[in-house]
Amino acid sequence: MVPTISQERSTWRFGSVEVLALLLVALVALRNPLATLVSDPRLQTWTTVFVSVMVQAVPFLIFGVVLSAVIAVFVPRSFWAKALPRHPALAVPAAGLAGVVLPGCECGSVPIAGSLIRRGVTPAAALAFLLAAPAVNPIVLTATAVAFPGNPEMVAARAVASLIVAIAMGWLWLRLGRSEWIRLPHRSGLDDASRARAFWASCRHDVMHAGGFLVIGAAAAATINVVVPESWLQTLAAHPVLSVAALATLAVLLSICSEADAFVAASLSQFSLTSRLVFLVVGPMVDLKLIAMQTGVFGRRFAARFAPATFVTAVLVGVGVGTVIW
C-alpha cells in the first residue's frame, strides 16, 4: 500500500538534518559577532577559514546530494546499461568525459559516485567520474582561464592532466580494486517507500554521511592554515622538486573548492607553473575534506587505498604534463 500525502506529512519530524542546516545557517549569519568574541588572531583566522570552506562547499554538496537522490530514485537501472559502454575498460573513459558537462565541485561528486555504484555502474567508471567532474567541468576551466590570463595553456594542461589521472585511476581500479573495499552505507526502507519519501530519505542519508565528514575536513583544513607558516612556502619554492611536493601537499591540506583553487594557485607566483599545475590537479581529487567524505560514503578501507594512489598518480601526471608544456 502506497502512503498518502497526508500520511507522509504526519511522519515528518525535526531531525538531525534540520539541526545541521540550522547550525550552518547560524554559523554563517553570526560569523562577524563570533569573530569579535575571539581575541586571538590565530583563532580568528581559523574561524574565517573554516566558515569559508563550508560556505564554498555546502551549495555544491547539496547539489550533489539532490542529484544523487534523483539518480537513486527516478533513474532506472536500465538507463546506465544503455548510456555507458558495456565493457568496463571503455566505460571508464566515457564516465570521465561525462564530467566535462556537469558543473559542480568535488563535494557533490562523492555522493553522486556512490549513487552511480548503487545503480549498477561499475565502480571503476563511477570513480573516474568522481575524479574528473570537479576538475574538467566548464565552470572550473573558465575560472582557471580567468586566474591565468597570461598563461592560457594552463587551462588545457589542467584539463588534460586531470582527465588522464581520472581514467588511469579507473583502469587501475579495474586491475587491482576489490569490491569488498567499498562499503556503501545501508539505506533501509527506500525500495518499499513512495518516490517522494525515498527521495527525501536519500537526501537526508547523504547529507548526514557526507556533510558530517565535510565539517571534520573543514576543521582540519582550518587548523593547517593556522599551523603552517608562510615562510616555509617561500623557502620551498626555490627548489624544483620540493616545490612540487610542497604544493601537492598544500593542495591536500588547504581543501579549497575546485571553483576557487585556480585563484589561489595564481597567487603563488613564487612557484613554477608546473608545481602550480600539480596543485590544481591534486586539489580536486585528494584533500582533507574529500578523504573524510570518501570515508563516510565508501568506507575506511576504500579511502585508505584510493586517496594515496590518486595522490601519487596526480603528482606524476601533473609533473609530466607540465614538463611537456613548459
Side-chain angles (χ1 to χ4, degrees), residues 106 109 123-124 126-132 134-135 161-173 176 248-249 251-252 277-287 290-291 294 298 301-319:
E106 57 271 23
S109 65
L127 296 177
F129 173 85
L130 181 151
L131 297 178
S162 299
L163 198 56
I164 291 175
V165 175
I167 295 173
M169 288 303 300
W171 284 338
L172 184 63
W173 181 268
L176 302 176
T249 305
V252 176
L277 173 62
V278 171
F279 178 88
L280 295 176
V281 175
V282 171
M285 299 184 178
V286 189
D287 63 30
L290 264 180
I291 295 173
Q294 289 175 7
F298 299 109
R301 297 182 68 186
F302 170 84
R305 293 166 172 82
F306 189 74
T310 303
F311 178 82
V312 173
T313 304
V315 171
L316 294 177
V317 172
V319 171

Side-chain angles (χ1 to χ4, degrees), residues 53-203:
V53 172
M54 293 300 297
V55 169
Q56 285 180 346
V58 166
F60 294 100
L61 172 63
I62 294 173
F63 172 79
V65 165
V66 171
L67 185 56
S68 172
V70 170
I71 293 172
V73 176
F74 297 102
V75 179
R77 292 179 180 270
S78 59
F79 171 81
W80 302 110
K82 299 176 182 178
L84 293 174
R86 292 186 178 182
H87 197 290
L90 298 178
V92 168
L97 290 172
V100 176
V101 298
L102 182 61
C105 96
E106 57 271 23
C107 302
S109 65
V110 174
I112 294 174
S115 185
L116 290 175
I117 295 175
R118 285 191 177 92
R119 303 308 289 175
V121 174
T122 177
L127 296 177
F129 173 85
L130 181 151
L131 297 178
V136 301
N137 71 70
I139 294 179
V140 170
L141 296 182
T142 300
T144 305
V146 173
F148 290 88
N151 302 101
E153 67 275 11
M154 181 64 81
V155 179
R158 180 176 195 178
V160 171
S162 299
L163 198 56
I164 291 175
V165 175
I167 295 173
M169 288 303 300
W171 284 338
L172 184 63
W173 181 268
L174 279 178
R175 181 69 176 175
L176 302 176
R178 298 180 182 178
S179 58
E180 61 265 25
W181 291 348
I182 295 181
R183 292 200 172 185
L184 297 172
H186 179 63
R187 293 175 171 178
S188 59
L190 293 188
D191 294 334
D192 298 329
S194 66
R195 286 190 170 184
R197 293 188 64 186
F199 176 83
W200 179 238
S202 178
C203 288

Side-chain angles (χ1 to χ4, degrees), residues 3-15:
T4 63
I5 296 178
S6 60
Q7 288 174 325
E8 291 180 7
R9 289 178 177 174
S10 64
T11 59
W12 181 89
R13 66 181 187 276
F14 192 85

Side-chain angles (χ1 to χ4, degrees), residues 236 239-249 271-272 274-275 278 315 319:
L236 293 172
H239 303 275
V241 176
L242 292 180
S243 66
V244 170
L247 286 197
T249 305
F271 288 87
S272 66
T274 297
S275 60
V278 171
V315 171
V319 171

Side-chain angles (χ1 to χ4, degrees), residues 27-50:
L27 185 62
V28 174
L30 300 176
R31 176 178 58 181
N32 292 332
L34 288 174
T36 58
L37 293 176
V38 181
S39 58
D40 190 340
R42 293 169 65 86
L43 291 179
Q44 290 182 348
T45 300
W46 190 98
T47 304
T48 300
V49 173
F50 176 80

